[in-house]
Amino acid sequence: MSIHLIFTVAAVFGSYLVIRAFHKFHSLRTASNVVLVSLSTADGLLAIPLIFGIVQMSLRLLNGCDAECSSGPLGKITSTSSFFLISVIILHLALISVERLIAVKFALRYHTIVTNPRALIVALAMLFFAATVTITFATTLVANSRDIERFRQAMDPHCKNPEDPLDHDLTPLMKRLLIFLLMFLLVIPLVIILCSYGYIFIVSYKQRKNIRGQNNIPGMATAIKHEIKGASTLAIVVAVCLLSIVPLIIVTGLRFFGELPERCHPKRKLIKFIVFDLATGLNTICNPLTYGWRNEKFRTAFRKLLKCS
């Protein structure tokens, strides 16, 4: 509960700093930062499941229940909200990668291609897509009470996951939905991220060679160098988020299908704590820390906000 509380306060405060800095300082109102603020908002909203987790643990202590007790409607709300926010974050990571790819590939035309209204529209489209997927998934699970209870237990690290594999027949709709979720919320975003940053790495390597040979177009090398520096900062953000979210998705999937029984593996409770609580909590606070460390404009803005200037 103490760790949940610490991460909750840090997530809300960090997200507030990013949003407040974006709103107050006009120099930060760029298309790239529109996506970053949207991502930070989703990270901050992850504090809601953390708060619900504190409430659930408090209720269990007051009622004298152990961690295996069902948390009822509150648990379903927590698992659904976590699923929705994680989907939003993954889609934003892919969007950031595409935005950096455009910035490097079309360095001189970037500001005419990527504008603030367009970035906002795409970010809202990602939000709407994630909401549609979440509602569809939740509706499908509700059709089978056993599935929704397994999903709740899989998303709740403090609940004991089912010991039996999910061997009952899934409906064709459920099978198609699970494949869709795997492709559009994990495989495709990962491919987009890897391809985008792979291309940026290649361009960065070629640019260094061009500078040595002095064959670069006037102004092109400077523009590309600036965008690559920005891409390196965002690459850290993307990498940290992936390092926390991808293991979370894998462990949740294995728990849902009953592939991680704990009866003979008591140490897996520690693994769940690390993957769910620590990784998710660090994901909520990594963005403000990275901006303050790598981005000079955000660092200056944070300093002024903290000094109330």
Side-chain angles (χ1 to χ4, degrees):
M1 288 174 62
S2 300
I3 292 176
H4 273 238
L5 184 61
I6 292 172
F7 281 135
T8 299
V9 174
V12 173
F13 180 71
S15 298
Y16 166 78
L17 276 181
V18 175
I19 296 171
R20 178 60 178 164
F22 179 83
H23 179 265
K24 185 174 182 179
F25 300 99
H26 290 275
S27 60
L28 293 176
R29 297 181 186 178
T30 63
S32 177
N33 289 341
V34 168
V35 182
L36 288 178
V37 169
S38 181
L39 174 62
S40 295
T41 303
D43 286 333
L45 290 176
L46 272 177
I48 295 176
L50 292 176
I51 293 174
F52 286 164
I54 295 174
V55 174
Q56 290 181 60
M57 285 184 281
S58 301
L59 292 175
R60 288 166 183 165
L61 289 174
L62 292 175
N63 295 329
C65 297
D66 58 18
E68 300 178 16
C69 292
S70 175
S71 50
L74 186 60
K76 295 180 176 65
I77 295 174
T78 303
S79 59
T80 304
S81 60
S82 298
F83 177 81
F84 167 68
L85 292 172
I86 290 172
S87 302
V88 172
I89 291 173
I90 293 176
L91 293 174
H92 273 70
L93 297 181
L95 180 59
I96 288 174
S97 302
V98 173
E99 184 269 335
R100 284 296 90 192
L101 174 64
I102 296 174
V104 172
K105 186 175 180 60
F106 307 100
L108 298 180
R109 298 168 47 204
Y110 168 76
H111 294 289
T112 61
I113 298 174
V114 181
T115 61
N116 287 23
R118 291 176 181 176
L120 180 59
I121 291 173
V122 175
L124 291 176
M126 297 293 100
L127 182 67
F128 177 78
F129 177 75
T132 303
V133 170
T134 303
I135 294 173
T136 304
F137 184 53
T139 303
T140 306
L141 286 176
V142 168
N144 190 319
S145 59
R146 182 187 177 190
D147 285 344
I148 194 171
E149 181 61 20
R150 292 180 72 99
F151 176 70
R152 184 196 67 78
Q153 293 175 355
M155 290 292 294
D156 185 354
H158 305 288
C159 258
K160 185 178 180 182
N161 58 296
E163 300 288 347
D164 60 309
L166 188 62
D167 53 359
H168 69 285
D169 294 332
L170 295 173
T171 63
L173 176 61
M174 188 66 182
K175 291 179 181 179
R176 290 194 295 267
L177 183 57
L178 290 175
I179 295 175
F180 175 84
L181 293 176
L182 179 65
M183 293 298 297
F184 281 86
L185 296 182
L186 185 60
V187 177
I188 293 179
L190 284 178
V191 171
I192 292 175
I193 292 170
L194 293 176
C195 291
S196 298
Y197 281 101
Y199 177 84
I200 292 172
F201 174 80
I202 294 173
V203 171
S204 175
Y205 176 77
K206 290 183 177 179
Q207 191 233 357
R208 293 191 185 96
K209 291 182 63 177
N210 290 336
I211 291 176
R212 295 191 191 99
Q214 297 181 352
N215 295 324
N216 53 298
I217 301 174
M220 177 65 78
T222 303
I224 293 179
K225 184 178 180 180
H226 174 74
E227 300 299 345
I228 288 176
K229 182 179 179 180
S232 63
T233 299
L234 294 179
I236 296 174
V237 174
V238 172
V240 173
C241 290
L242 288 179
L243 287 175
S244 60
I245 289 178
V246 172
L248 176 64
I249 294 175
I250 294 174
V251 172
T252 300
L254 292 175
R255 280 165 54 82
F256 177 72
F257 287 100
E259 298 297 333
L260 284 179
E262 299 168 358
R263 181 171 52 192
C264 302
H265 302 277
K267 291 184 178 180
R268 284 181 177 167
K269 292 184 179 180
L270 176 61
I271 295 176
K272 286 196 303 181
F273 170 75
I274 294 174
V275 171
F276 282 85
D277 288 332
L278 293 185
T280 306
L282 290 174
N283 177 66
T284 61
I285 63 176
C286 73
N287 288 353
L289 293 176
T290 305
Y291 305 155
W293 167 44
R294 296 276 302 182
N295 191 301
E296 183 178 354
K297 291 184 178 180
F298 268 110
R299 184 166 59 249
T300 303
F302 290 164
R303 190 181 300 116
K304 290 181 179 180
L305 288 175
L306 292 175
K307 292 180 180 179
C308 300
S309 60

